[in-house]
């Protein structure tokens, strides 16, 4: 094989798209044949293997990527096993001249990729990594004193000082295929989708995984929801959030694409992009960056409290409260609605995620890591950084966290954000005959209008007092830290 025929491998990971994909663009620019590869890696130590809902999404997303590549006469090669071993063998088998990928930021991936880079260099194979997943790299965003920002507001300010994110890149016009395609495993054989029972049967009705689905979702959001995002994003019955999170997690769309299209949409509509709803949306997108930076700088984030004093919290280890919460059978309407939405669709609205997480950690005093693990398994957007940072935020143990003593009252939250009960009744049909006045506290309703609904698993006033007492037991340090954040 002459040098120019030697292929370049593009190792797809969390960047399952053709547009704005710098690793793919760089491979095409070499003029060499390109082999797109995806490895189902469930063996690298230290990783959080895909949860059930993510596996469903991954199947659909890979099928969509295969289809897009086939339209360019290219083909996605699938292998499974330990990614580091597989990719080195694959590079040797195909006599690759280079291996390109877009960066991932999970601690195990960073470690694996560093080791791979030096191994490929030793083998004389060119290797390069790119940024496809973030507006800016975590190490680029610094305070004036050169340290990583510890709170979100300072992260946003520091990031804005860097200017606009890099422009988005187009999809390649043509991907030169190899003459003889290496053998690929069959996606169906990976059995990523559940069977017997097919608990994900409801997912297809709400989601369109893949790059086209992601682009369509962004277009829909900009046209129909962006304008009311700031005021509407807290109301779960309203379709006023983007629902882009799973597309972003799997890299079917990149944050730079979302950023620039949002700005362009505002300019076209004669609106100012850095005020009102549009800025609010860009700021939410930046929470994702902040979470990734937190994970990058604190690799223990998914399993250790960032504020170490929280490790002494007297968690309730009983299984019953956790199970009731997981099944949406706590007897607290807004919590049960959220947990059932999660189970049936793989998604939960952000406001309701906060309510459900707070209820678990504070009223039930269950360790935030149990909630994190359940979300990991059931969310289609399960993301190590966002999930861990958000759970620590709710628990009070994280950076820039909600102070522990600020305990959401799920009745008041329900009455404020789902006043007419549209969201709650959609997911908890047992409450359909409860008048609005009692919907979020059916235990007070006269005449037992919801006989099939369970009584509350905990008295809310008692749960609150118990949680505050437990928080006090952590001592002065925890309280001083919480007061600083209040
Ligand atoms: P939009 O409101 O339309 O926001 C646009 C994008 O900004 C989102 O897609 C997301 O990428 C990002 N974003 C918005 N809010 C946040 C936030 N608070 N933190 C980080 N990024 C944010 N998000 C995940 O993507 N994966 C998770 O595993 C995850 N776990 C969570 C666990 C808990 C306990 C909580 C409270 C929040 C969690 N979030 C997680 C954050 C947030 O709830 C979701 O990103 C959001 O609900 C996704 O819906 P959307 O795309 O319509 O958001």
């Amino acid at each position: 094989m002459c040098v120019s025929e030697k292929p370049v491998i593009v190792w797809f990971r969390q960047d399952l798209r053709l547009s704005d994909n710098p690793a793919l663009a760089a491979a095409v620019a070499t003029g060499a044949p390109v082999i797109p590869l995806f490895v189902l890696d469930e063996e690298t130590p230290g990783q959080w293997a895909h949860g059930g809902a993510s596996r469903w999404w991954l199947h659909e997303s890979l099928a969509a990527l295969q289809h897009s590549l086939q339209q360019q006469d290219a083909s996605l090669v699938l292998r499974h096993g330990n990614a580091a071993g597989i990719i080195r063998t694959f590079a040797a088998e195909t006599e690759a001249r280079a291996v390109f990928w877009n960066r991932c930021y999970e601690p195990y991936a960073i470690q694996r990729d560093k080791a791979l880079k030096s191994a490929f260099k030793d083998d004389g194979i060119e290797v390069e990594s790119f940024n496809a997943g973030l507006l800016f790299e975590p190490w680029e965003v610094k305070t004036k004193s050169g340290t990583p920002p510890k709170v979100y507001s300072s992260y946003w300010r520091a990031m804005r000082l860097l200017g606009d994110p890099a422009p988005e890149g187009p999809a390649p016009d043509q991907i030169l295929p190899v003459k003889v395609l290496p053998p690929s495993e069959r996606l169906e054989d990976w059995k990523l989708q559940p069977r017997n029972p097919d608990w994900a049967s409801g997912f297809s009705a709400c989601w369109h995984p893949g790059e086209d689905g992601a682009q369509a979702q962004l277009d829909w959001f900009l046209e129909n929801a962006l304008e009311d995002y700031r005021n509407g994003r807290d109301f779960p019955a309203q379709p006023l959030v983007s629902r882009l999170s799973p597309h972003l997690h799997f890299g079917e769309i990149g944050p730079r694409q979302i950023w620039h299209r949002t700005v362009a949409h505002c300019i076209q509509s004669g609106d100012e992009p850095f005020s009102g709803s549009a800025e609010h949306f860009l700021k939410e997108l930046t929470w994702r960056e902040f979470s990734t930076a937190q994970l990058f700088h604190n690799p223990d984030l998914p399993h250790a409290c960032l504020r170490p004093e929280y490790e002494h919290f007297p968690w309730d280890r009983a299984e019953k409260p956790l199970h009731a919460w997981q099944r949406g059978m706590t007897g607290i309407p807004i919590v049960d609605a959220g947990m059932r939405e999660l189970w049936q669709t793989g998604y939960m609205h952000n406001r309701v995620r906060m309510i459900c997480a707070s209820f678990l950690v504070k009223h039930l005093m269950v360790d935030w890591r149990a909630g994190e693990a359940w979300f990991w398994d059931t969310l289609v957007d399960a993301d190590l950084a966002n999930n861990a940072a958000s759970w620590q935020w709710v628990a009070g143990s994280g950076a820039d966290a909600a102070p522990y003593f600020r305990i959401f009252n799920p009745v008041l939250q329900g009455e404020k954000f789902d006043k007419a009960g549209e969201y709650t009744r959609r997911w908890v049909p047992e409450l359909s005959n409860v008048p609005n006045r009692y919907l979020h506290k059916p235990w007070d309703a006269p005449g037992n209008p919801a006989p099939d609904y369970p009584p509350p698993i905990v008295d809310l006033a008692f749960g609150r007092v118990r949680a505050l007492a437990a928080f006090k037991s952590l001592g002065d340090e925890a309280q001083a830290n919480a007061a600083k954040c209040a």
Side-chain angles (χ1 to χ4, degrees), residues 30-49:
T30 63
V34 172
I35 310 181
L37 170 73
F38 182 87
V39 182
L40 179 65
D41 180 1
E42 291 177 324
E43 290 174 25
T44 298
Q47 71 169 305
W48 283 50

Side-chain angles (χ1 to χ4, degrees), residues 229 241-245 248 281 284-285 287-288 291 347-348 350 353-354 357 375 379 381-383 386-387 390-391 394:
Y229 179 77
V241 289
S242 73
R243 293 175 68 101
L244 283 166
S245 48
L248 268 164
F281 177 63
E284 290 304 320
L285 197 60
W287 269 99
R288 176 177 176 272
S291 300
Y347 177 87
M348 193 197 297
N350 180 60
R353 288 187 205 202
M354 291 195 288
F375 271 27
L379 278 170
D381 65 23
D383 179 273
N386 277 357
N387 199 31
S390 300
W391 274 97
V394 172

Side-chain angles (χ1 to χ4, degrees), residues 135 151-153 155-156 159 233 280-294 385-386 389-390 393 399-401:
L135 300 169
V151 295
Y152 168 79
S153 51
Y155 193 91
W156 168 257
M159 192 188 89
R233 62 180 286 273
H280 208 100
F281 177 63
L282 297 175
K283 282 186 160 175
E284 290 304 320
L285 197 60
T286 303
W287 269 99
R288 176 177 176 272
E289 306 270 314
F290 180 53
S291 300
T292 307
Q294 283 182 65
N386 277 357
S390 300
W393 184 88
D400 202 2

Side-chain angles (χ1 to χ4, degrees), residues 333-354:
I334 189 89
V335 172
D336 292 341
M339 298 307 295
R340 296 184 196 185
E341 179 190 23
L342 174 62
W343 182 253
Q344 289 175 42
T345 69
Y347 177 87
M348 193 197 297
H349 185 279
N350 180 60
R351 168 61 49 181
V352 191
R353 288 187 205 202
M354 291 195 288

Side-chain angles (χ1 to χ4, degrees), residues 289-312:
E289 306 270 314
F290 180 53
S291 300
T292 307
Q294 283 182 65
L295 179 61
F296 180 78
H297 295 294
N298 306 283
D300 291 338
L301 186 76
H303 54 85
C305 296
L306 271 190
R307 296 171 192 266
E309 63 274 16
Y310 277 80
E311 294 297 354
H312 305 297

